[in-house]
Structure formats: C-alpha cells, structure tokens
Amino acid sequence: MSTITQVETPVKARSVQLKLKAEQPALPDINTIRKAIPPHCFKPSTVRSLSYVARDVLMAGALVYAAVAYIPTVSNPVYRTALWTLYGFLQGLVGVGIWILAHECGHGAFSTHRHLNDFVGWVLHSALGVPFFSWKFSHARHHRFTGHMQKDMAFVPKTTPSYFVRSLGSAVSSVLDLEVLEDAPIVNLIRLLGQQLGGWQVYMLFNSSAGEDSMQNKDAKWWRRSHFDPFAGVFRPQEALYVLISDLGLALVAAGLYYASQALDWQTVFLLYGVPYFWVNHWLVAITYLHHTHQDLPHYDGERWTFVAGALATVDRDFGFIGRHVFHGIIDTHVVHHLFSRIPFYHAEEATKAIKPLLGDLYHSDERSFMGSLWETSRTCQYVESDPSNPGVMKWAQ
C-alpha cells in the first residue's frame, strides 16, 4: 500500500453532481494520507464513547416509557395510530445511533480496550437483533476489499440486469423493451421496497450482494452462507465460537421479547420493537447502499484494485441534523472511515477536513437530498460494465 498507483476515475469534491475526468491524479499512499490527519484523531476516549451509549440508551428508554404509559390512554384510534407511527419512526432513528455505536466497537474505535469493545458491541447489537461477531468478521472483510468486484462483502454490483428485471422483461417482451422496463417507476419502486424491507435479512441469511470470491470456504453451498451458522462459508474455523456467542445474544433477546409479550401482548411488543427494527434496517441498508453506489464511482477487478483506490471509491452524503447528531456522522464522513476505520466518529469530521486538501478531486461528496438520491441511484445504478478506456475498471451502465 506504500506505492503510488495511477487510476482513471476521480470525481470533483463537494459538487452537486460528480463528474468523471479523462485523466486523474495519482493516488497518494495510505501513510501519506495518515500523516495529514492530526494524531489525536486516532485516539478514542472510553468515557466519551460510553457517554454516547448512555445518551442513546436513555433516549430509547424514554421513548419506550412514553409509548407504554401514554399511547394506550389515547381513546381516538386515529390519534393512537399516529402516535404509534411517530414512536416507531423516532425509535428507529435512535436505534440507528445505537447501531453505529456498536459499529464503532466492531472497528476498535470505541475504546482502546478490546474486551470492552467486544462486550459493549455484543450487548448493543444483540439488542437490535444483529449477530455482533458474525457481522464484525464479514464487515472487516468488506473494509479490507472495498470496491473489489470479487472479494468485497457488501453491495457488489451486478454485471447484467437483475433476475427480476430480466424475468419481467421476458414476460412482457412483446410489449416493452428491456431498457424501457428497467427505467419504469413501478419496477424501481418494487426493487427499492424489496431492498429496503428485506435487504438486511437476506444479507444475513445468504450473504447476498457479496463478491463471488468473498467466501472463506469457496465450496460452501448457498444455504451455508448464513451469518447465524458458525460453520458457514462466510467464516474461518477459528471464528465459529464467536458466531455461537452472537447467536446466544440473539437468543437472550428473543427470550426477553417472548416474556415481554406475555406481560403485555404481542401486538404491543411488535409496535415497541418490531416496527423500529424495520426502520433501523431500512436506514442502515440505505446508508450503506448510497455510500458505495453512485453513477460516477468505479469498481475494480482484482488486478486493478488497491486498498486506497477501493476506499476512495466511496462517497460522503448529507442528512442534516439527524445525520450529524443522531446517526453520529456516519453518513457525512464515510470516506475517511474507509481509509482509517479506527478513527472515532467524533473525530471523523476533523479528519475529513484534514485530508480533503490532499485528496482534491479524489474526494467524493454528494450533498443532494438523501432520500431523493436513494430513488435516483436505484434507477440509474443497476449494473456495471467494463470501461473500454480503463482496463480493470467497471463503470455503471448508462
């Protein structure tokens, strides 16, 4: 990683719409980028990190208390439904913040104490229905091989139109052309709903969207790729015990939900936990997808890929106050996070400002509407194809 590598796909920083250039500056090596960041940005504070945990858990607890104590007393069913809907949305936002704190633990950015990181991450992620260590292992490989068409673990793009579009196209080929069908709003809506409502679960169960060469066991069948299976192809043999510990955390949470449903009722527990669960996963899938998917960002074949090239093939986005203060800046500072994942989130903005002058046009940012970008990106970024002018570089099909 200490060599200077030439690439051909930079984009303008802080532009409304990123633009590719015919020629690109050389990529700086990782140590040069590191030296541009103040040393204190790499140092986590255990007390500060724990204070964010306390803040977010208190907010979640306050929302649960208010929902259980007051919403059932509202006699008007319309108002009561509106309040439950508001609760689910707000608790989903808080849940994402808690998720991000566990994410910090998984990267070792929460504190300098590995056992504390693992314990806090296991507790927080288990509470959210996430197998902490299973996710930690596969997510580390996503960071190791970001942008690698064969080895990345998340949102590796297809090289042909999706099976759903091709199947639908075959059914209506006498009426509509495949390219017209790909751009149809109803098709895009169905695709987005499937991704946002079930994308996380499908990834956890089948390791979907990962590269073909991302498995630790290359011979694993499709049903042996679950993040809940200690002996799945996703993991190395020495990781099996930690996957079991992850499953234990989920079992304890499931037992707690069962007893809560006995004390209350299953409908109330679903409103308290189930609805926010779907909101949390919606936001996390959308955030990850938009960080790694943009019409002007490249992906790389194995021979062309480097760590720095892959890390810089990500894009910072903006989600306003919620993104900065509830989601702990995860949306706004993802580029520096992929370069140095041990930088705590509360130093990531300063670190981003420090590397932008060095990276110049290699720094990617898009400040357009987050939700608007979700729709537009799903419509325009469906599969990649080889760039004939840049061997080994994959670009989004036009």
Side-chain angles (χ1 to χ4, degrees):
M1 299 179 192
S2 61
T3 59
I4 296 179
T5 307
Q6 191 75 26
V7 296
E8 286 76 26
T9 49
V11 292
K12 285 186 179 180
R14 292 293 170 192
S15 60
V16 174
Q17 185 173 356
L18 308 182
K19 297 292 185 182
L20 292 172
K21 293 185 177 180
E23 297 182 0
Q24 299 186 352
L27 288 175
D29 66 81
I30 194 67
N31 288 324
T32 298
I33 302 173
R34 180 188 293 272
K35 290 176 182 177
I37 301 173
H40 72 266
C41 289
F42 294 91
K43 298 177 181 179
S45 165
T46 302
V47 172
R48 187 171 182 179
S49 296
L50 286 171
S51 72
Y52 281 106
V53 173
R55 186 202 74 169
D56 287 5
V57 170
L58 284 172
M59 286 195 297
L63 285 170
V64 169
Y65 175 80
V68 172
Y70 298 110
I71 294 180
T73 66
V74 177
S75 57
N76 187 304
V78 175
Y79 293 160
R80 191 165 62 249
T81 300
L83 287 172
W84 275 119
T85 302
L86 178 63
Y87 162 83
F89 175 75
L90 293 177
Q91 191 70 285
L93 297 178
V94 175
V96 173
I98 294 173
W99 207 106
I100 298 305
L101 295 175
H103 169 269
E104 292 280 294
C105 294
H107 281 296
F110 187 83
S111 77
T112 57
H113 310 289
R114 182 172 64 85
H115 294 305
L116 177 65
N117 294 339
D118 285 346
F119 177 74
V120 174
W122 178 74
V123 170
L124 297 182
H125 259 177
S126 296
L128 295 169
V130 179
F132 173 70
F133 291 104
S134 308
W135 162 84
K136 175 182 173 180
F137 297 142
S138 66
H139 188 69
R141 288 163 197 144
H142 159 60
H143 271 257
R144 174 65 181 85
F145 294 108
T146 302
H148 195 301
M149 284 293 295
Q150 290 77 40
K151 293 186 177 182
D152 197 353
M153 294 289 292
F155 283 112
V156 175
K158 296 177 175 61
T159 55
T160 60
S162 68
Y163 176 78
F164 167 68
V165 171
R166 284 185 284 114
S167 300
L168 191 57
S170 298
V172 299
S173 58
S174 61
V175 181
L176 290 176
D177 181 80
L178 180 60
E179 292 186 2
V180 175
L181 188 64
E182 287 176 353
D183 292 331
I186 185 63
V187 173
N188 197 40
L189 178 61
I190 293 171
R191 180 168 46 227
L192 262 181
L193 286 174
Q195 173 181 292
Q196 296 307 122
L197 291 175
W200 172 254
Q201 292 79 8
V202 174
Y203 174 70
M204 285 284 102
L205 289 170
F206 305 111
N207 201 44
S208 64
S209 84
E212 294 180 357
D213 196 30
S214 63
M215 294 293 99
Q216 302 305 298
N217 177 3
K218 304 298 189 293
D219 298 324
K221 303 297 183 182
W222 64 268
W223 62 86
R224 297 306 303 272
R225 298 185 176 190
S226 169
H227 281 70
F228 308 104
D229 181 355
F231 308 105
V234 181
F235 308 114
R236 294 175 293 185
Q238 60 267 37
E239 294 168 344
L241 176 61
Y242 293 95
V243 178
L244 281 172
I245 295 173
S246 301
D247 293 343
L248 173 62
L250 298 182
L252 292 173
V253 171
L257 292 173
Y258 170 78
Y259 286 113
S261 67
Q262 299 299 302
L264 301 170
D265 55 71
W266 71 265
Q267 294 95 332
T268 300
V269 171
F270 177 78
L271 292 170
L272 288 171
Y273 184 89
V275 173
Y277 170 85
F278 283 104
W279 271 114
V280 168
N281 293 326
H282 152 71
W283 289 119
L284 290 168
V285 170
I287 290 167
T288 307
Y289 175 65
L290 289 179
H291 277 154
H292 298 282
T293 312
H294 191 287
Q295 187 67 34
D296 295 330
L297 293 186
H299 286 73
Y300 299 94
D301 277 338
E303 293 184 1
R304 189 64 182 275
W305 176 90
T306 67
F307 174 81
V308 172
L312 292 178
T314 59
V315 56
D316 285 348
R317 296 186 183 266
D318 180 72
F319 202 51
F321 177 87
I322 292 174
R324 288 187 292 275
H325 299 288
V326 182
F327 292 176
H328 302 300
I330 191 68
I331 295 176
D332 309 69
T333 58
H334 200 68
V335 174
V336 76
H337 172 67
H338 262 276
L339 288 165
F340 306 104
S341 60
R342 286 182 176 268
I343 291 180
F345 72 88
Y346 39 80
H347 292 320
E349 183 176 358
E350 181 181 358
T352 297
K353 292 178 179 178
I355 66 173
K356 283 171 64 177
L358 172 65
L359 296 179
D361 288 340
L362 294 170
Y363 171 72
H364 305 157
S365 176
D366 191 333
E367 297 182 344
R368 291 175 295 176
S369 162
F370 185 84
M371 294 307 296
S373 295
L374 181 61
W375 174 267
E376 184 65 15
T377 301
S378 176
R379 189 184 67 82
T380 59
C381 299
Q382 297 184 23
Y383 62 96
V384 295
E385 56 191 7
S386 297
D387 185 346
S389 63
N390 297 316
V393 177
M394 310 295 290
K395 66 178 183 178
W396 292 99
Q398 300 296 319

